[in-house]
Amino acid sequence: MNQPPSAGRGGTTWAIVITSAASFMAALDNLVVTTALPAIREDLGGALADLEWTVSAYTLTFAVLLLFGAALGDRFGRRRLFTIGLSIFTAASAGAALAPGIDSLIAARAVQGVGAAIMMPLALTLLTVAVPPARRGAALGVLGAVTGVAVASGPLIGGSLTEHISWQWIFWLNVPIGLVLLPLARLRLKESHAPDPRLDVPGTLLVSGGLFGVVYALVNGHTDGWTSAGVLTSATVGTALLLAFVRHGSVSRHPMLPMRLFRDRTFAGVNAASLLMFLGMFGSIFLLSQYMQSVLGYSPTEAGLRMLPWTGMPLLVAPLAGYFSDRIGGRPIVIASLTFQSLGLALFALVLEPGMSYAAMLPAQIVGGFGMALFFAPAASLVMSSVQPAEQGMASGANNALREVGGALGVASLGAVFAAQGGYGTPWTFTDGIVPALWIGAGAVAIGAVAAFLMDGRTNSTQDGIPSARTPARPTATV
């Protein structure tokens, strides 16, 4: 009998390669543009607010449309929507590289976020479907390693391409990769749907509007003022819409994200931990990459290279984390991950000062990088195994959306602490600002470790669609 394209060992390998490459592109574009902003300003012009939008336009559309992208995949086919999202992302990357002005660049970045929001959650779901349960943790470890490296190495890749070629190559890099992945995804990935899929249009509008309002306020609070009319209105309306989304998820018959999922301590705990982990990681990388350039005097490429003991650690450790999560469970590894990462940020805060040696910051980089590397694979496995197979698409979208919101919150909140306590004026004022910000980041990640500790330590809810002894079978629709 002929096997489907994704069946067997070869199909599993193709699924890992395709979803990892797509996830790398989507994750990379979170921070890849940050070190290119001076070159973009010199080439295209624009005020400071315009340059900030080249970063936040991608983050905002990515965050607010993740759940909708997952729901579309469940309804119309995950492989089909994955290729559509990949096509949008690839075309928008070319548009960004060809942008004649700052406004068109911002628009292209927003469209990139739309493509990534469709592509990213479906990559995780497609991989979960393609890999047998016994090897799922190791496969997710590879995906976690690639995603973690992409997020953390964005400043290095962006700085290197800008310094040695041009800022446009930050976006051109995605185009050949996307063109190669499109036919491979069509030929090598198996199509899948959620049973009895339904599009929740009211829920989509509520969560998209709510997340947009909250993230917009967080991104713009430090520039427009936290008490400005626009920021306060955005935060208030966004919060109200999110509360309405929570109520909708509790009473609707077919919500895109049933609130009953959060009654599961594992699902609730790993999502809280993910948000807080990205808060600390994004905000810290954003500030530390600038510290190395503004205070220590490194070029963008030199700064990225010197951060590799921290940012490159997922490539080495994340596959091992997935391997061991299959044997001892994801919960203890996630707790250890967040503990190490919090300790690493605390070590950074203790040693940073103007003129410090590179060797003095190595212990913090190694400890923090080891913790970050441990997180991705077991966290993804916990999310996917804490829900029924029919709910994995919405669970993946929710987890990715909360990570993006956590990243936006981290850049905004740690940036606000930095601005309140210091600034860019001198190396001493920069250090005065970054140290308390890092303490806030360390504290947030430590709270994430507490959330992980409160997860259910027993067997995960499902294995390959079969409920475990601790969790009775439950219907896919909310009553």
Side-chain angles (χ1 to χ4, degrees):
M1 180 181 294
N2 293 331
Q3 290 180 313
S6 63
R9 183 178 297 275
T12 296
T13 301
W14 277 114
I16 294 172
V17 170
I18 295 167
T19 58
S20 295
S23 297
F24 181 88
M25 292 194 299
L28 180 71
D29 274 57
N30 274 291
L31 292 177
V32 72
V33 75
T34 54
T35 47
L37 290 178
I40 292 174
R41 180 177 57 191
E42 182 179 349
D43 194 12
L44 301 182
L48 177 61
D50 296 321
L51 297 178
E52 290 180 345
W53 272 108
T54 64
V55 178
S56 58
Y58 180 82
T59 305
L60 285 173
T61 54
F62 196 178
V64 303
L65 294 176
L66 274 167
L67 285 169
F68 190 48
L72 285 173
D74 289 345
R75 172 65 178 83
F76 296 107
R78 291 159 179 161
R79 184 187 65 186
R80 177 184 300 173
L81 265 293
F82 175 81
T83 57
I84 290 174
L86 180 58
S87 300
I88 294 171
F89 184 87
T90 303
S93 296
L98 295 169
I102 194 69
D103 291 337
S104 55
L105 175 60
I106 292 170
R109 288 284 287 167
V111 178
Q112 266 192 312
V114 174
I118 300 172
M119 180 174 65
M120 191 77 164
L122 295 177
L124 180 58
T125 310
L126 286 167
L127 182 61
T128 301
V129 170
V131 179
R135 290 189 287 154
R136 191 168 293 159
L140 291 173
V142 175
L143 183 66
V146 171
T147 303
V149 169
V151 170
S153 65
L156 168 61
I157 295 174
S160 298
L161 290 173
T162 300
E163 185 175 340
H164 299 293
I165 309 178
S166 72
W167 66 263
Q168 286 89 348
W169 276 93
I170 292 171
F171 305 111
W172 281 127
L173 178 67
N174 296 324
V175 176
I177 300 175
L179 292 177
V180 170
L181 290 180
L182 280 169
L184 289 177
R186 177 66 180 169
L187 294 172
R188 297 295 181 177
L189 294 179
K190 182 181 179 181
E191 185 61 280
S192 64
H193 299 75
D196 191 26
R198 298 171 186 267
L199 284 179
D200 179 12
V201 176
T204 299
L205 294 175
L206 287 172
V207 73
S208 298
L211 286 175
F212 181 86
V214 171
V215 175
Y216 179 91
L218 292 172
V219 169
N220 290 278
H222 67 287
T223 55
D224 298 344
W226 295 103
T227 59
S228 66
V231 170
L232 285 177
T233 300
S234 180
T236 302
V237 173
T239 302
L241 290 174
L242 288 178
L243 290 174
F245 174 72
V246 172
R247 184 179 184 278
H248 173 79
S250 301
V251 302
S252 174
R253 289 182 57 85
H254 303 287
M256 69 186 313
L257 181 60
M259 290 300 113
R260 61 179 172 76
L261 295 181
F262 290 93
R263 298 172 190 165
D264 185 292
R265 284 164 47 193
T266 297
F267 184 83
V270 73
N271 278 288
S274 295
L275 186 147
L276 291 165
M277 182 269 193
F278 267 62
L279 188 156
M281 183 187 72
F282 261 73
S284 300
I285 290 174
F286 177 76
L287 291 173
L288 284 166
S289 63
Q290 296 181 74
Y291 170 85
M292 287 192 168
Q293 298 175 62
S294 299
V295 178
L296 301 184
Y298 297 125
S299 71
T301 303
E302 290 171 339
L305 287 172
R306 283 164 173 78
M307 292 179 72
L308 281 179
W310 183 26
T311 60
M313 194 70 74
L315 187 62
L316 302 175
V317 178
L320 295 176
Y323 175 83
F324 284 108
S325 70
D326 286 339
R327 282 149 180 78
I328 65 173
R331 176 175 173 265
I333 298 178
V334 168
I335 295 172
S337 160
L338 296 169
T339 301
F340 278 113
Q341 190 172 170
S342 179
L343 178 59
L345 293 178
L347 289 174
F348 267 121
L350 287 171
V351 302
L352 289 190
E353 62 180 9
M356 68 179 297
S357 68
Y358 176 64
M361 66 173 65
L362 269 178
Q365 291 200 61
I366 293 171
V367 172
F370 182 76
M372 182 174 68
L374 288 176
F375 182 82
F376 295 102
S381 182
L382 285 167
V383 168
M384 302 305 275
S385 62
S386 65
V387 299
Q388 296 289 338
E391 301 164 336
Q392 287 177 341
M394 68 178 76
S396 171
N399 185 252
N400 279 281
L402 287 170
R403 289 183 179 190
E404 291 300 313
V405 171
L409 176 61
V411 172
S413 58
L414 270 64
V417 173
F418 169 80
Q421 299 296 320
Y424 291 97
T426 68
W428 287 106
T429 57
F430 196 108
T431 304
D432 289 342
I434 192 174
V435 168
L438 290 174
W439 281 118
I440 296 296
V445 178
I447 295 173
V450 174
F453 181 80
L454 296 176
M455 291 190 296
D456 197 325
R458 290 172 287 177
T459 306
N460 291 336
S461 300
T462 63
Q463 288 293 332
D464 199 30
I466 303 173
S468 70
R470 78 167 177 89
T471 305
R474 51 193 177 190
T476 57
T478 303
V479 177

